[in-house]
Amino acid sequence: MRVKVGELILALGFLGLMLTLYLAFLWAPSVNINAFESPEAQRIFYWHVPAAWAAFIAFAVLFVGSALWFFKRSPLGWKLHIAGSEAGLACGLMAVWSGCVWGAAEWGTPWDWEDWRLNSFGLLTLLALFLVLGRQSQPDGVESRDTFSTFGLYGFVLVPLTYVATRIWVIRHPGPVIGGDEDSSISGDMALVLLIGALSFTTLIIGHILTSIEITKFEQRMDRLQKKLDGE
Amino acid sequence: MEDKTYLSIAYLGMIFALAIWTWTIVSRSRNMEQRILAMEESLDIKPSNADSIAEINATNEE
């Protein structure tokens, strides 16, 4: 069977993630042991930040797809909506899970219900979960697509809110390491591993979106065949 | 548990979850394609990627 572009990109992204793991564990420099309760757990940052970055890309795709379907009735828009919600859920869960692992080691608790960044990102991931499960449980139709697209459109409000949360309401989640204030900086080696991680997650998510679009096309072909068989 | 052991388990869990997720969508795509091609061939139907819901909606709005 021929290998498709989406599958190739997915495989490339996955290999990149394996490389990121290797570099994060065995090559990236250790942090100052006095600065953290659990200095080794800090290495999860090379996974957590790229996963959150990829989730934001997926939520942007979800927003664009929802808008295209809702305002233009674009079939491609609906495919992007599905791909964005699935990829957003996967990357969102990765970011939440890795954050909980770090929080448990560093703070002594996996979650802080008073922290804006944690809760707004958690809500975004729950929104993606709702869209994925909702689509699977509802019959496909104009009304259900409109409803899910509306959630995709309004849910995107949480993206900029989550992005600025650590700049405005610094509670427990660490502030930005890149693009923050003058104190926010990381060493060259750390930045390189972070960049490889971000590129790998981005590649993976592009591969996922392409494959997901392909699957939606197949589902629609299947639906057409079913209707033909039913004599409609 | 030592820091690094704890981290290794967490990392392995995540890469394993991503591997399963990646494999699931690739195999789902391949299975569907095989089934559709077989059905289209046996029913002698030309492949079409049109979105029937979007088409119905466009017809209703006209």
Side-chain angles (χ1 to χ4, degrees):
Chain A
M1 181 173 277
R2 71 195 168 88
V3 178
K4 291 171 184 155
V5 182
E7 292 174 11
L8 259 179
I9 297 175
L10 257 179
L12 205 66
F14 195 77
L15 286 175
L17 286 179
M18 302 283 273
L19 176 69
T20 308
L21 278 191
Y22 173 79
L23 293 173
F25 252 93
L26 302 169
W27 188 75
S30 297
V31 289
N32 179 2
I33 55 165
N34 298 319
F36 291 91
E37 286 288 319
S38 178
E40 289 298 342
Q42 177 272 339
R43 288 173 192 273
I44 214 147
F45 151 87
Y46 301 110
W47 183 276
H48 177 74
V49 176
W53 156 255
F56 281 149
I57 295 176
F59 290 128
V61 170
L62 170 66
F63 176 75
V64 171
S66 300
L68 280 174
W69 170 260
F70 197 80
F71 297 112
K72 298 269 180 198
R73 293 288 186 258
S74 156
L76 175 67
W78 182 245
K79 291 182 185 94
L80 288 176
H81 170 96
I82 294 170
S85 57
E86 287 179 355
L89 175 62
C91 293
L93 284 176
M94 284 294 138
V96 167
W97 170 248
S98 55
C100 287
V101 168
W102 184 75
E106 181 68 21
W107 302 332
T109 177
W111 199 266
D112 183 349
W113 291 104
E114 289 179 1
D115 190 284
W116 269 88
R117 165 65 71 90
L118 265 61
N119 290 313
S120 59
F121 194 87
L123 259 178
L124 261 175
T125 309
L126 280 177
L127 172 79
L129 178 70
F130 163 75
L131 293 176
V132 170
L133 294 181
R135 194 180 73 85
Q136 286 172 2
S137 64
Q138 297 295 313
D140 193 14
V142 176
E143 290 84 4
S144 61
R145 287 188 185 188
D146 282 351
T147 307
F148 293 134
S149 297
T150 313
F151 275 97
L153 285 171
Y154 282 108
F156 192 73
V157 173
L158 285 168
V159 171
L161 189 73
T162 306
Y163 185 72
V164 299
T166 51
R167 289 165 171 81
I168 300 173
W169 307 285
V170 181
I171 299 176
R172 212 163 192 176
H173 191 286
V177 288
I178 294 170
D181 55 23
E182 60 271 14
D183 297 332
S184 64
S185 65
I186 52 173
S187 78
D189 289 347
M190 288 172 130
L192 180 66
V193 182
L194 189 64
L195 180 69
I196 293 172
L199 286 175
S200 305
F201 258 107
T202 308
T203 310
L204 187 87
I205 213 159
I206 291 170
H208 175 82
I209 287 168
L210 291 175
T211 313
S212 178
I213 287 174
E214 191 88 354
I215 291 174
T216 311
K217 277 183 193 167
F218 290 149
E219 283 174 353
Q220 287 166 353
R221 260 164 83 177
M222 192 72 103
D223 185 51
R224 194 171 277 267
L225 280 170
Q226 188 64 51
K227 282 183 177 150
K228 200 104 181 172
L229 283 172
D230 292 345
E232 283 179 29
Chain B
M1 204 172 355
E2 260 187 48
D3 267 5
K4 224 159 188 170
T5 319
Y6 175 73
L7 192 61
S8 309
I9 294 170
Y11 260 141
L12 284 174
M14 286 185 287
I15 199 88
F16 188 65
L18 263 189
I20 291 177
W21 173 65
T22 307
W23 179 247
T24 306
I25 55 169
V26 170
S27 63
R28 189 169 141 217
S29 164
R30 289 184 173 195
N31 286 343
M32 281 189 87
E33 186 175 23
Q34 278 179 335
R35 280 166 52 197
I36 288 167
L37 286 176
M39 277 174 78
E40 281 173 345
E41 207 174 280
S42 65
L43 293 168
D44 197 25
I45 294 172
K46 278 186 185 166
S48 164
N49 284 326
D51 181 348
S52 57
I53 301 292
E55 276 180 353
I56 292 167
N57 182 69
T59 315
N60 289 344
E61 280 181 0
E62 273 171 14

